[in-house]
Amino acid sequence: MGLSRRRFTREFKLAAIERLEQGVSLGEVVRALEVNPNVLQRWRREFRKGPGNAFPGLGKRRWAEGRVAELERKIGQQVLEIDFLKGCLQRIEEQRMLQALNGKPRSASKLPKTARRGKV
């Protein structure tokens, strides 16, 4: 039977970081808390990046900056597409208005075959 992965509370992690900030050596903290030094360093980095967001707990990850940037790019792309389609629609409406004023509705012979069959 394998060893289960240890889970540490937010308070435990903050206490470990506090010891490091008080000047206790990494080796001493690692031995006292029986934590891998790489894990302790990762906790410190995460805490320094955003003390309020560090260690959300219960395995729920906060939104990574990369994910937020990805969604912002997607929104930007959709805004461009919507603006383009609005422009196309506006030009079509203007053409229809001009045709109605000139009394020249577009003849069926100039429409694509699929449009004549009602499949537009």
Side-chain angles (χ1 to χ4, degrees), residues 38 42 56 58 61 69 99 117:
N38 293 330
R42 187 180 70 231
L58 301 175
R61 299 286 302 170
Q99 289 172 353
R117 289 185 234 149

Side-chain angles (χ1 to χ4, degrees), residues 46-47 49-50 52-56 59-65:
E46 188 173 343
F47 180 76
K49 276 185 181 177
N53 293 329
F55 323 123
K60 295 179 182 175
R61 299 286 302 170
R62 65 188 179 282
W63 282 70
E65 290 79 18

Side-chain angles (χ1 to χ4, degrees), residues 25-52:
S25 74
L26 181 67
E28 288 179 60
V29 176
V30 165
R31 282 188 295 279
L33 300 178
E34 299 177 357
V35 177
N36 185 300
N38 293 330
V39 171
L40 195 54
Q41 292 285 24
R42 187 180 70 231
W43 291 350
R44 183 193 290 186
R45 277 192 311 273
E46 188 173 343
F47 180 76
R48 286 181 176 170
K49 276 185 181 177

Side-chain angles (χ1 to χ4, degrees), residues 70-84:
E70 175 189 342
L71 292 173
E72 287 175 344
R73 280 191 300 275
K74 192 171 190 173
I75 290 170
Q77 181 64 36
Q78 289 176 340
V79 167
L80 289 174
E81 291 171 3
I82 290 169
D83 289 344
F84 173 77

